[in-house]
Amino acid sequence: MPCIARTSRLALAASAASLALLATACGGSGSDASGPGDGKPVTLTFWSATAGAEETADAFNKTHTGIKVKFSMVPAGPEGVTKLSNAVKGGNAPDVATMDYSALPEYASEGNLEDLTAGSGELVKKEFPEAVQSLVTLGGSTWAVPFDVTPIQLFYRKDLFKKYGVEVPTTWAAYRTAAEKIHQGDPDVTITNFGGGDPALLSGLAWQAGARWYGTSGDAWKVNIDDPASRKVAAYWDDLLADGLASRTPLWGEGENKERATGKVATIIGAAWSAGNFPVSYPDSKGKWGIAPLPTWDGEPSTGMYGGTSYIVPKGSEHTEAAAEFIKWVTTDPEAMTARLSSLKTPSSALPANEGMRAAAAKQFDSSYFGDQDVYAVAGEAADTIVPGWTWGPVQQQVTSAQMAAGGDHTKMLTSGQAKGERAVTDRGLKLDK
């Protein structure tokens, strides 16, 4: 279904509670879920890269007769977004997909999403916190339904901290001191791996520090990626790497897993969803890892978000009502969370944005790996400290690509992102406020 009407200008106005899309590239919604009229179930195609998504789809199919879901695993991150974009352009997009919050404004403003206001707008207002609503409600329209919140947390090796006489750090200054003490005790051990450069993690840490990468002035966009708060974060990590206190082993690779599994790093900077990966990736370290709040710059509890998943209906779906029903179930029904947690290969520890789902997750998730710590209680407390006011912009995917090419130099990631962000805004015909 092509997008007929396009605007030449887009701007977002943001507050702590809302994100307003002043103009979108394409409006309207797709066909209803009535199906072919022959009494057969509506079949929805569903793409996702999230842990437990297939088990969730299977559970839905067992308990629903009028709608059936056909699941396909797709790549995570920018590669998955590109695959979805190509499918929309080719007219063969799925009926439902998951998407990172950071990609939503860009994807919606390009006319790649169905407007879910009619089928899911009230659901979002009633069932999800205002701070999360602001990530999916653009210009008064609902473009996605939230699934989780993703506070950044500190995972630390309790045995290594005890061995080297290190207390769990509450500030970034104390974190560096801990890094120095541990590395002095054993030069083969670093505080964490932070090589290669992860734009999503850098943005979350900048978020915690008070950065605001995007904003608006009237009908013009502000791009503030290379701001003082972000530069403080980048310099901190570049210094840790330069001094050999953090490992240059790239994140998201086999080398990363090996260092973490063999006690060569003392902490992991992760998110609520990271906990489920520990029993799978580091099974021999059961009982050795603990979870703590993320260190802060001033000692006051605060954190940013690292990733985060929403449910969307890509442009062109002929079953938007059925899609809305499936999305409602998968984001608010406790049975969906129980099914998600049934994945023994990749157990999900995602922290649902919906309170009922969160309670079901806490009840079902096996926290024995982390000793007596309640994984969901700790994550829930962290979620309460997420710094308000962050919004994403209409060119973040292009910014991410530019930052990934910066070679793990975090300061360069900011300057590259700033240049690309400004250029991409003007390339799209949007106004840039300098």
Side-chain angles (χ1 to χ4, degrees):
M1 183 180 298
C3 177
I4 299 173
R6 287 193 176 273
T7 61
S8 61
R9 189 174 296 171
L10 174 91
L12 297 182
S15 69
S18 66
L19 177 66
L21 190 66
L22 302 182
T24 63
C26 183
S29 59
S31 304
D32 63 28
S34 58
D38 56 7
K40 294 182 180 179
V42 173
T43 298
L44 299 176
T45 51
F46 171 37
W47 289 5
S48 181
T50 58
E54 184 172 10
E55 287 79 5
T56 305
D58 289 344
F60 181 88
N61 288 335
K62 292 176 181 177
T63 55
H64 293 74
T65 57
I67 303 170
K68 293 300 176 184
V69 177
K70 183 179 180 181
F71 173 77
S72 294
M73 181 68 73
V74 294
E79 185 180 351
V81 174
T82 299
K83 180 180 177 68
L84 187 59
S85 297
N86 291 337
V88 171
K89 293 174 184 177
N92 59 350
D95 296 293
V96 179
T98 52
M99 177 167 284
D100 193 287
Y101 294 123
S102 66
L104 274 173
E106 185 168 352
Y107 212 74
S109 67
E110 291 178 340
N112 291 322
L113 298 181
E114 294 289 347
D115 186 340
L116 301 184
T117 305
S120 304
E122 285 301 310
L123 174 74
V124 171
K125 290 179 182 178
K126 292 180 179 179
E127 298 291 342
F128 299 93
E130 283 188 356
V132 183
Q133 293 178 31
S134 69
L135 298 176
V136 300
T137 303
L138 314 174
S141 296
T142 300
W143 297 97
V145 177
F147 172 65
D148 63 348
V149 287
T150 57
I152 307 177
Q153 300 173 272
L154 181 70
F155 297 83
Y156 67 99
R157 279 285 295 259
K158 294 181 288 186
D159 57 332
L160 294 180
F161 273 47
K162 182 178 181 180
K163 179 178 180 180
Y164 299 110
V166 174
E167 297 293 327
V168 178
T170 58
T171 66
W172 287 116
Y175 185 80
R176 182 184 172 92
T177 298
E180 293 169 346
K181 193 169 184 179
I182 290 170
H183 194 57
Q184 184 178 20
D186 186 343
D188 290 332
V189 180
T190 59
I191 193 67
T192 194
N193 16 43
F194 213 80
D198 183 346
L201 183 53
L202 178 60
S203 67
L205 294 172
W207 180 340
Q208 182 209 34
R212 297 289 183 271
W213 281 11
Y214 298 96
T216 58
S217 178
D219 61 352
W221 274 98
K222 291 183 178 181
V223 179
N224 300 309
I225 295 167
D226 192 22
D227 70 340
S230 300
R231 286 198 295 270
K232 176 174 68 173
V233 171
Y236 176 88
W237 286 102
D238 285 341
D239 286 348
L240 281 180
L241 289 165
D243 294 342
L245 300 176
S247 168
R248 290 188 178 276
T249 299
L251 297 168
W252 300 105
E254 287 299 319
E256 170 201 74
N257 270 352
K258 184 176 180 180
E259 287 184 349
R260 294 175 174 182
T262 57
K264 296 302 181 182
V265 294
T267 73
I268 295 172
I269 309 297
W273 47 262
S274 302
N277 185 54
F278 278 71
V280 177
S281 297
Y282 329 119
D284 295 336
S285 300
K286 182 176 181 180
K288 295 180 179 180
W289 287 95
I291 312 173
L294 189 67
T296 67
W297 292 100
D298 59 5
E300 294 298 318
S302 66
T303 192
M305 280 178 51
Y306 184 13
T309 301
S310 65
Y311 281 79
I312 61 169
V313 177
K315 196 68 182 178
S317 172
E318 297 181 353
H319 308 300
T320 55
E321 288 184 14
E325 184 174 338
F326 171 63
I327 290 173
K328 178 180 180 180
W329 183 83
V330 82
T331 58
T332 63
D333 194 311
E335 290 301 318
M337 198 66 214
T338 299
R340 180 179 291 271
L341 289 168
S342 71
S343 173
L344 299 179
K345 186 176 181 181
T346 53
S348 173
S349 60
L351 183 69
N354 176 267
E355 290 293 339
M357 290 276 280
R358 190 177 298 184
K363 183 178 179 180
Q364 295 292 327
F365 187 78
D366 181 4
S367 295
S368 62
Y369 182 93
F370 295 95
D372 58 357
Q373 278 195 288
D374 185 330
V375 169
Y376 275 87
V378 173
E381 291 172 1
D384 291 338
T385 70
I386 294 172
V387 176
W390 180 275
T391 59
W392 293 105
V395 294
Q396 179 56 32
Q397 299 309 296
Q398 296 179 62
V399 166
T400 294
S401 296
Q403 291 179 325
M404 290 177 69
D409 182 322
H410 295 88
T411 300
K412 185 178 178 182
M413 287 172 70
L414 296 179
T415 56
S416 298
Q418 179 73 31
K420 182 62 175 181
E422 292 181 355
R423 188 165 59 250
V425 166
T426 55
D427 286 348
R428 284 197 55 192
L430 310 178
K431 289 181 70 173
L432 178 66
D433 183 341
K434 287 198 173 185

